[in-house]
Amino acid sequence: MPASHEVSARKSLRAPIGTRDVLWPESERWEALVAAFARRARLAGYGLLLTPVLEDAGLFRCAVGDESEVLRKEMYELTDRGGRTLALRPEGTAPVVRAFVQHRPPVPWKVWYVTPAFRYERPQAGRYRQHHQVGVEALGSDDPDLDVEVIALAAGFYVELGLVGVDLSLGSMGCSADRRAYVSALREHLAERREMLCDEHRERFELNPLRVLDCKRSQCVAVTADAPTISDFLDEPCATHLARVREGLDALGIAHRLDSRLVRGLDYYTRTTFEFSAVALDAAQNAVGGGGRYDKLSEAIGGPPTPGIGFGIGIERLLLACDAEGCFNAAPSAPDVFVVDTTGGAAARDLSAELRGAGLTALRAYDDRSIRAQLKLADRSRASYAAIVGPREIEDQTVTVRSLREGKQTTVRREELAEWLRRELLD
Ligand code: HAM
């Protein structure tokens, strides 16, 4: 017997705050979204990678940066029974690079993933504690054409879903030396105006001045309006890289805006960074995808020097953007046939298995319901046909097929049923 407090806990068990269940038919939209993404990724040579949801927490400390918001406030950490400190992945890139370092596959190594990500955020529309991403990562080349390929993959995906209002911002974080010089100039700018910063950044700006550029509070927005920009600090190779990426995007007709203040929330970026925002969503949660280069990440976690680039797209946000634009409705599919059995259930058992074996979606009722109840369920299922089997049909080796759209009824030989249905459904 469970203890009484366990019983009362059970009564009120719900999905944790900031997480949600995705039930059918909504889940069918997810299925269609992931299938479309997988197809697109495969066309460009990306293979599916699966990695554990749990990783050594140290991985994210090295990769994401101790001063990033994600790590400082949002990571779910736990100690397992063996005393190991593990984390629920807050994002998808570090685990991919960890898998690369562990397995050393030949480069270029191009992978795609679909994964939950966990961040202890303040839940609101479009911001969850467990969200889901589809994404790609490509390791082993710093060719700017790869940046273009990766950005084009995401841009084409939004178009495929029917979204029109998606803006692309492009930036560059430069190389380590550029970044150091820039961060130092920015720190100086902020230090001179320290008293004008918001409370949080007055105390913390020195640790990671880049965060201040991303602060939405009016004091910080005012202070950073005339702050130095990274574009003034890019060395020749980084500036050429950025120019070549822009040239490639132009060649492929991908509209973009250069944003020298683009700050991504994760600290591993070098050179190219980008973010896609949905015009139809509220500005605070309108990023429907983002990514960039992380040419030093492999080394940072103890691997060989290996450049890389990728992006992650938030599935929930993307669907919110689709809802706001009224696109990608992906109506739930209707079954092909509903088997109605008035002989006790054995015929429905056998015939539905047979039809499924022939590749048709076949549903049936259970618990020996009346023919009326079964036909009602068939109607409710939105199946195209009801395949009715009674004692007479068993005797004659036939099936009575009723079109649930037109109400017309006909008799089909049982061994010809699957073929007959396929032909009619095609018509
Ligand atoms: P990120 O910008 O932190 O990047 O997340 C990618 C996308 O996930 C965001 O653009 C947004 O659509 C969605 N997202 C993030 N947090 C939440 C949340 N709390 N609730 C709902 N959706 C959310 C990354 O995670 C990088 N790993 C992307 C990347 C891949 N960079 C290089 N490769």
Side-chain angles (χ1 to χ4, degrees):
M1 280 286 281
S4 61
H5 68 274
E6 283 175 16
V7 173
S8 63
R10 260 186 224 165
K11 274 193 195 148
S12 58
L13 279 183
R14 301 175 61 85
I17 293 172
T19 72
R20 52 195 287 271
D21 304 311
V22 181
L23 274 59
W24 190 86
E26 191 194 349
S27 57
E28 199 158 316
R29 219 175 160 206
W30 282 59
E31 221 181 311
L33 184 148
V34 174
F37 188 81
R39 198 183 59 83
R40 219 154 240 289
R42 218 173 304 118
L43 287 175
Y46 293 73
L48 175 65
L49 174 72
L50 304 169
T51 61
V53 170
L54 282 171
E55 293 275 356
D56 192 315
L59 168 66
F60 299 107
R61 234 173 273 295
C62 288
V64 175
D66 267 338
E67 268 314 304
S68 70
E69 206 85 320
V70 168
L71 213 99
R72 228 162 30 85
K73 298 194 201 146
E74 298 171 358
M75 197 155 78
Y76 279 88
E77 273 190 51
L78 59 106
T79 310
D80 74 4
R81 285 167 201 262
R84 299 170 199 88
T85 312
L86 302 174
L88 289 177
R89 62 163 61 162
E91 60 99 48
T93 308
V96 172
V97 180
R98 194 268 310 136
F100 171 79
V101 172
Q102 183 174 337
H103 303 286
R104 306 286 170 104
V107 293
W109 194 49
K110 306 208 304 187
V111 302
W112 75 272
Y113 51 84
V114 50
T115 181
F118 304 85
R119 299 180 187 180
Y120 194 82
E121 309 227 42
R122 199 163 56 79
Q124 49 200 293
R127 193 170 290 278
Y128 310 99
R129 292 192 175 160
Q130 175 178 339
H131 72 276
H132 297 78
Q133 294 185 13
V134 285
V136 302
E137 311 292 344
L139 282 98
S141 169
D142 63 2
D143 187 333
D145 282 359
L146 185 56
D147 306 29
V148 176
E149 172 181 303
V150 162
I151 295 172
L153 208 161
F157 180 55
Y158 298 122
V159 172
E160 181 171 340
L161 298 194
L163 278 173
V164 285
V166 178
D167 289 342
L168 167 60
S169 304
L170 181 75
S172 175
M173 285 308 299
C175 60
S176 316
D178 303 342
R179 188 181 168 127
R180 255 196 317 277
Y182 172 57
V183 166
S184 149
L186 182 60
R187 190 179 282 122
E188 210 170 292
H189 175 91
L190 299 176
E192 283 162 13
R193 296 159 182 80
R194 170 183 220 125
E195 294 313 315
M196 294 155 69
L197 292 171
C198 75
D199 291 348
E200 184 190 348
H201 289 117
R202 198 176 312 126
E203 297 310 316
R204 297 196 61 86
F205 80 93
E206 277 179 340
L207 286 165
N208 191 345
L210 291 172
R211 288 279 82 76
V212 186
L213 292 178
D214 211 18
C215 179
K216 306 280 184 285
R217 295 185 195 101
S218 56
Q219 303 100 303
C220 289
V221 171
V223 169
T224 55
D226 60 346
T229 60
I230 180 78
S231 39
D232 301 327
F233 290 80
L234 295 182
D235 65 11
E236 226 281 303
C238 289
T240 307
H241 187 99
L242 179 60
R244 173 82 193 171
V245 173
R246 300 199 67 192
E247 186 189 312
L249 293 177
D250 288 340
L252 298 190
I254 299 174
H256 60 278
R257 187 175 63 88
L258 197 59
D259 181 355
S260 54
R261 291 171 56 108
L262 179 63
V263 179
R264 306 265 307 121
L266 306 155
D267 287 351
Y268 48 60
Y269 291 111
T270 51
R271 290 198 170 170
T272 310
T273 53
F274 54 92
E275 205 151 81
F276 291 94
S277 43
V279 178
L281 294 184
D282 208 36
Q285 271 84 237
N286 68 354
V288 287
R293 276 205 164 272
Y294 41 83
D295 292 346
K296 299 291 169 199
L297 184 51
S298 171
E299 281 160 88
I301 64 166
T306 311
I309 179 163
F311 65 75
I313 290 176
I315 296 182
E316 290 85 352
R317 290 240 186 119
L318 188 54
L319 289 176
L320 285 175
C322 289
D323 290 342
E325 280 199 19
C327 64
F328 191 60
N329 294 314
S333 54
D336 297 324
V337 54
F338 195 104
V339 180
V340 173
D341 175 2
T342 62
T343 69
R349 178 194 63 207
D350 301 346
L351 187 56
S352 54
E354 203 176 300
L355 293 170
R356 290 167 194 162
L360 294 160
T361 328
L363 268 54
R364 55 160 296 193
Y366 305 96
D367 307 316
D368 199 13
R369 313 283 281 271
S370 71
I371 182 165
R372 230 175 89 98
Q374 291 187 57
L375 282 169
K376 215 164 160 182
L377 286 171
D379 260 335
R380 205 182 297 156
S381 78
R382 302 179 21 258
S384 305
Y385 293 93
I388 306 163
V389 185
R392 191 177 50 80
E393 282 85 358
I394 300 252
E395 170 103 28
D396 301 349
Q397 291 283 302
T398 58
V399 176
T400 300
V401 185
R402 181 184 298 179
S403 158
L404 293 172
R405 307 267 146 78
E406 293 150 19
K408 277 195 273 181
Q409 206 158 285
T410 179
T411 304
V412 179
R413 291 206 59 74
R414 172 156 176 166
E415 75 260 22
E416 288 162 7
L417 179 62
E419 204 35 56
W420 186 93
L421 283 170
R422 220 195 308 276
R423 216 174 30 245
E424 292 294 314
L425 286 162
L426 261 183
D427 277 354

